[in-house]
Amino acid sequence: MSMFGDGLDAAVQKAFTRPAPKSAPAQMRYLVKQLKGTKAVAQMLRISQRTVERYVKDQIKKPRPDLAARLEREVKKRWQPQIRAKARQKAATTGGIVIDTRARIGYTAPIGTTDEDRLRHLTVALPPQYAARLFDAQERGASDQQIRQIAAEALKEVYFQDDGRRAGQLEEVRFTDIEHLEFDL
């Protein structure tokens, strides 16, 4: 998946009220319950239906690393959907979202300004409308580049232009070479 998509998912997962199942058999039982059958789980995880049944009965306890990663990703994707929806809704309407990043950030500005890209570590609280745009883009299946562009626009308005109080001629913000990226609600 993408760095931005994973970051948004991790931020929402912090709102969970109960931990997701940890062991492979418990994760498999949860998926079987959610998808209403072993056949659908087997197709989704690209394994045999018999293997799913063996996990459910605790006959197999330790999956291969690639299967373990797919299993965990699918469980977390479906875990506590109502809590996930409430956290997204709160961020998009009242709370906003915090972006913490260490990346090369530059901008396009009039001649005579120091617009050279440089490595910056920023922790910026973004208003709810940007949280809504980020979550909507993720929900639509937007590419990592499109979500990055929304984040760059948010940084331009909130960090560089200080909500219109400075740097009015700023045209575009470049957000590249990301070393660290984390979102928080």
Side-chain angles (χ1 to χ4, degrees):
M1 200 181 207
S2 68
M3 177 183 276
F4 284 84
D6 290 344
L8 290 169
D9 284 341
V12 171
Q13 288 172 8
K14 292 177 187 175
F16 287 167
T17 56
R18 292 187 340 249
K22 297 268 189 258
S23 72
Q27 290 174 333
M28 202 64 79
R29 283 189 289 273
Y30 174 76
L31 287 176
V32 167
K33 186 176 178 183
Q34 289 295 306
L35 298 177
K36 297 176 178 41
T38 56
K39 187 174 185 178
V41 174
Q43 289 174 343
M44 178 186 64
L45 296 173
R46 299 183 308 271
I47 56 177
S48 72
Q49 185 174 355
R50 179 68 187 129
T51 303
V52 172
E53 293 166 356
R54 290 172 61 201
Y55 274 108
V56 169
K57 293 179 182 175
D58 275 336
Q59 294 173 345
I60 305 176
K61 296 183 191 292
K62 186 93 170 103
R64 304 181 312 270
D66 62 321
L67 176 59
R70 286 195 312 261
L71 191 58
E72 184 173 348
R73 186 177 59 246
E74 293 299 329
V75 167
K76 285 193 175 181
K77 187 190 301 183
R78 290 169 175 77
W79 189 248
Q80 294 190 328
Q82 292 173 333
I83 302 286
R84 182 187 307 269
K86 283 181 186 176
R88 285 176 179 239
Q89 183 65 28
K90 182 180 176 193
T93 57
T94 58
I97 194 166
V98 175
I99 182 172
D100 179 45
T101 185
R102 180 170 166 77
R104 186 162 301 282
I105 301 174
Y107 49 88
T108 306
I111 297 173
T113 59
T114 59
D115 60 354
E116 188 174 323
D117 293 4
R118 65 174 188 236
L119 202 59
R120 300 173 194 251
H121 182 207
L122 302 177
T123 302
V124 180
L126 303 178
Q129 69 262 23
Y130 284 109
R133 285 182 61 197
L134 287 166
F135 285 130
D136 287 345
Q138 182 191 27
E139 199 119 334
R140 284 192 324 265
S143 69
D144 201 36
Q145 184 61 35
Q146 292 168 321
I147 296 174
R148 179 187 307 212
Q149 187 60 40
I150 294 169
E153 289 174 29
L155 289 174
K156 172 187 165 189
E157 184 180 316
V158 176
Y159 179 76
F160 289 107
Q161 291 183 327
D162 196 15
D163 292 324
R165 290 190 278 279
R166 65 173 187 228
Q169 301 92 357
L170 201 62
E171 297 167 17
E172 176 193 20
V173 171
R174 291 181 301 279
F175 190 26
T176 58
D177 300 339
I178 301 168
E179 292 179 7
H180 165 77
L181 178 73
E182 188 175 327
F183 292 99
D184 201 5
L185 303 179

